Amino acid sequence: VVSLMDSFIIGYTPVCPHHRHRVMSTRPSTTRIFDALMEEDQQSSFPDDGPSQEVQKSGGISEDSSVQQSPIRAFSSIPDFAPGDKLELRQDKMNVGNPQLIVEEKDMTVTDILRELAAIRQEGPQKYLILGTRHCSYLHQQIIELLAYALVLSGNHVFTSGAQGTNAAAVRGALRAEDQDLITVVLPQSFEKQTSESQELLEKVENIIAFPEHDDLSLEMASKLCNSFLLNQTDQLISFAFHESNTIIETVDEAKENKKLVTMLFLD
């Protein structure tokens, strides 16, 4: 490109056809081109009212002049930038807990071991109690529905209560198996005490046990009595709860005291 520009500005310069290099040095012509570009850039940087009188008298730009310098010359004064020296790199560590945390093993008696071995070897249908929190996400409800559906479909009897959330999901899953004899719902109070949404779902269930005599009690106390009744009717407990679900956790502790097989699933 420089060779072509030199040829057009200064004139044709002889080139050796055999060695394909210039006979004359191109440095003088290249310097002229650069100076011409610099002079044009400096002239374009003057204000609209023309250059100052100091520039007109001297024929150039004075060192003390306030005229804006060329951006090409200003660029050469920028120091080298080292990102590693200027910026501090943050390396935040993600807190993922301790997946290798060793849980203290509980003391198991010979009776506990034999009971668990018998439950593993038992192939017949079981009576499962599914209880859990009302504050259950849609995804968790789908999982509970699938669990109840599979239990009833395999010949097991599912017991639950009438609250929303976990219990309602268990009812819907058991009803999908289309076997009313294997689904039983026990209400802590009378049927009329349940919410309209729960009543609409419970109307599809044939086996319902209610305790209208507990209508005068608080819902928490009536739920504890209802859960105790359910534990006496079933073989295993599957619970879905948060660590703040006091009623469910108390039911789990009661089931362990009664030597029931318990599966505790925390949603948090």
Side-chain angles (χ1 to χ4, degrees):
V1 175
V2 173
S3 300
L4 292 176
M5 293 175 63
D6 291 342
S7 301
F8 282 107
I9 296 175
I10 305 173
Y12 290 100
T13 305
V15 179
C16 178
H18 300 287
H19 301 284
R20 302 186 64 83
H21 67 275
R22 297 180 58 82
V23 178
M24 297 179 60
S25 174
T26 62
R27 183 172 301 277
S29 59
T30 305
T31 304
R32 294 177 185 177
I33 296 172
F34 182 78
D35 292 339
L37 293 175
M38 292 289 296
E39 183 177 358
E40 181 181 357
D41 182 77
Q42 292 174 2
Q43 293 177 359
S44 62
S45 62
F46 288 131
D48 295 338
D49 54 352
S52 61
Q53 296 180 358
E54 183 180 356
V55 177
Q56 292 177 356
K57 292 180 181 179
S58 61
I61 300 178
S62 173
E63 294 182 357
D64 298 334
S65 175
S66 60
V67 180
Q68 184 179 2
Q69 298 293 331
S70 171
I72 299 179
R73 293 187 178 181
F75 179 78
S76 61
S77 63
I78 298 178
D80 295 335
F81 178 69
D85 298 338
K86 301 295 182 180
L87 300 177
E88 296 182 0
L89 301 179
R90 294 183 57 186
Q91 297 180 354
D92 297 335
K93 294 183 179 180
M94 182 178 297
N95 184 13
V96 295
N98 186 5
Q100 303 299 329
L101 181 63
I102 300 177
V103 181
E104 296 182 1
E105 297 182 358
K106 62 180 181 179
D107 296 333
M108 298 185 63
T109 62
V110 178
T111 305
D112 297 335
I113 297 175
L114 292 177
R115 185 176 66 256
E116 291 190 1
L117 290 176
I120 294 173
R121 297 183 58 184
Q122 188 172 2
E123 298 179 357
Q126 297 287 317
K127 296 179 181 180
Y128 287 90
L129 172 59
I130 299 178
L131 293 176
T133 177
R134 295 180 176 86
H135 308 288
C136 191
S137 67
Y138 178 73
L139 177 60
H140 288 130
Q141 291 185 33
Q142 287 184 316
I143 297 175
I144 297 169
E145 286 186 26
L146 182 61
L147 173 62
Y149 171 75
L151 289 175
V152 175
L153 202 64
S154 56
N156 298 284
H157 197 134
V158 173
F159 288 77
T160 187
S161 188
Q164 290 296 313
T166 301
N167 302 342
V171 173
R172 290 192 298 267
L175 290 175
R176 286 174 54 189
E178 298 181 353
D179 193 341
Q180 290 282 352
D181 295 335
L182 297 180
I183 171 66
T184 300
V185 178
V186 179
L187 303 179
Q189 295 173 330
S190 62
F191 184 84
E192 291 74 15
K193 280 282 188 177
Q194 310 305 312
T195 62
S196 59
E197 186 176 1
S198 297
Q199 293 182 13
E200 182 179 358
L201 177 62
L202 294 175
E203 288 177 354
K204 304 176 183 178
V205 181
E206 295 181 0
N207 299 324
I208 297 179
I209 300 175
F211 289 95
E213 60 271 18
H214 295 165
D215 288 350
D216 296 334
L217 300 176
S218 63
L219 181 59
E220 181 180 0
M221 181 59 64
S223 298
K224 291 181 180 180
L225 295 175
C226 176
N227 294 343
S228 299
F229 177 82
L230 284 167
L231 289 176
N232 294 329
Q233 306 297 320
T234 55
D235 303 318
Q236 300 186 31
L237 170 63
I238 303 176
S239 60
F240 298 83
F242 296 96
H243 285 83
E244 294 79 12
S245 304
N246 297 327
T247 303
I248 301 299
I249 293 177
E250 290 179 4
T251 303
V252 170
D253 294 338
E254 183 181 352
K256 293 179 180 180
E257 293 176 359
N258 295 333
K259 307 301 179 182
K260 301 285 185 179
L261 292 178
V262 178
T263 301
M264 186 68 176
L265 300 176
F266 286 100
L267 303 181
D268 54 353

